[in-house]
Amino acid sequence: YVEPERKSDLAPKMPGIIQKIHVREGDIVPEGKVLVELQNAEIAAQRTEAETILKHARQELERQTRLWADKATTEKALQDAGRDAEVADSRLKYVEALYENTLIRAPFPGRITRRNASVGDAVGQTSGSAAILTLVDFESLVMVADVNQADIGRLRGVERAEITVDGTDGVYSGRILWVVPTADRVRRVVQVKVGFDKRDERLYPQMAARVAFQAKSAGRRVIVPDGAERNGSVMALVDGHAVRTDVSALRGGEEVI
């Protein structure tokens, strides 16, 4: 069967009520795109307030710094202004983190394959809550083959593979990526991951597939008549003339004398 090497079941980091879902099944999304928003009006208001407080704290710090340069303020007043600016900055970062936790972003570029919730649903109320969306990187699709454990040693001589995927009306070339280093002792099989040389839009996760492994080629061999070779070369007929030719240059089919 076909499966992705990179797949993510997306759930919120905090409990809440779904306010917006920006995608549906089949949508292709870039990394970082906001896919889902929980209700966050209260946290958004706190963020605006924290931004205002930080702005005023920085302005006061700048004012106290100028006054200190003119010897018109105390060291304590300058230190207090600096401390207030640091506290306001930390507060804003905390609220921004809370706000970010109300969003679900795409952790990598991919395609939405499943949507399990709707606007208005309460989510994240318990640990291990069901995912809202499933995101798949279609560029990471591989074929998973169950190989009988008695045959696994024969794969050492395998170089290429031909993959037939049901419903695609085509055969894909591929190669062994790796052998999963554990066996299913009940079924007596070992899983082998096979990569596609080229993927297309016909491939989907969980499609049934079959694979035929191809042994490594023994390479080209040229056989010359007994006694014809001398010091790595032979006499070959080229355009009716005998020409001494290096054996390594022969391609097969030449007439050797």
Side-chain angles (χ1 to χ4, degrees), residues 53-97:
I53 292 174
L54 177 59
K55 178 182 177 181
H56 291 162
R58 285 175 172 171
Q59 289 174 343
E60 177 60 18
L61 177 59
E62 291 175 358
R63 189 179 76 87
Q64 288 294 333
T65 300
R66 290 193 301 270
L67 291 174
W68 175 257
D70 295 335
K71 303 184 184 314
T73 189
T74 65
E75 183 177 0
K76 182 178 183 306
L78 178 62
Q79 291 175 344
D80 288 346
R83 190 177 302 109
D84 289 345
E86 290 179 0
V87 170
D89 184 62
S90 297
R91 171 62 181 173
L92 177 58
K93 290 178 179 178
Y94 171 74
V95 176
E96 286 179 334

Side-chain angles (χ1 to χ4, degrees), residues 4-19:
E5 283 297 296
R6 190 154 66 154
K7 167 187 172 184
S8 183
D9 292 320
L10 304 175
K13 296 179 180 179
M14 62 187 296
I17 307 297
I18 296 178
Q19 178 172 278

Side-chain angles (χ1 to χ4, degrees), residues 114-126:
R114 190 177 298 276
R115 171 174 160 173
N116 300 314
S118 301
V119 172
D121 287 352
V123 294
Q125 303 298 326
T126 59

Side-chain angles (χ1 to χ4, degrees), residues 8 10 22 42 49 52 83 91 93 95 102-103 107 129 132 137-138 166 169 183 198 218 228 239 255:
S8 183
L10 304 175
H22 297 284
E42 182 177 346
E49 180 183 21
T52 301
R83 190 177 302 109
R91 171 62 181 173
K93 290 178 179 178
V95 176
T102 69
L103 310 176
S129 297
I132 296 176
D137 177 6
F138 274 55
D166 291 356
D169 299 324
K198 187 177 181 180
D239 297 330
E255 185 174 352

Side-chain angles (χ1 to χ4, degrees), residues 71-197:
K71 303 184 184 314
T73 189
T74 65
E75 183 177 0
K76 182 178 183 306
L78 178 62
Q79 291 175 344
D80 288 346
R83 190 177 302 109
D84 289 345
E86 290 179 0
V87 170
D89 184 62
S90 297
R91 171 62 181 173
L92 177 58
K93 290 178 179 178
Y94 171 74
V95 176
E96 286 179 334
L98 283 181
Y99 184 85
E100 187 64 25
N101 286 343
T102 69
L103 310 176
I104 296 179
R105 297 181 182 272
F108 52 81
R111 193 171 185 180
I112 304 298
T113 60
R114 190 177 298 276
R115 171 174 160 173
N116 300 314
S118 301
V119 172
D121 287 352
V123 294
Q125 303 298 326
T126 59
S127 60
S129 297
I132 296 176
L133 301 170
T134 298
L135 178 67
V136 168
D137 177 6
F138 274 55
E139 293 300 312
S140 73
L141 291 178
V142 298
M143 189 265 181
V144 182
D146 291 330
V147 178
N148 190 290
Q149 65 184 33
D151 297 328
I152 202 68
R154 298 168 60 186
L155 294 182
R156 294 189 186 125
V158 168
E159 183 176 55
R160 304 294 301 162
E162 288 188 348
I163 308 165
T164 302
V165 181
D166 291 356
T168 62
D169 299 324
V171 176
Y172 297 85
S173 61
R175 66 201 182 283
I176 292 179
L177 298 176
W178 64 85
V179 177
V180 178
T182 187
D184 184 326
R185 66 178 183 178
V186 176
R187 299 168 55 216
R188 296 179 179 274
V189 297
V190 175
Q191 286 194 336
V192 177
K193 301 292 183 74
V194 183
F196 293 91
D197 288 339

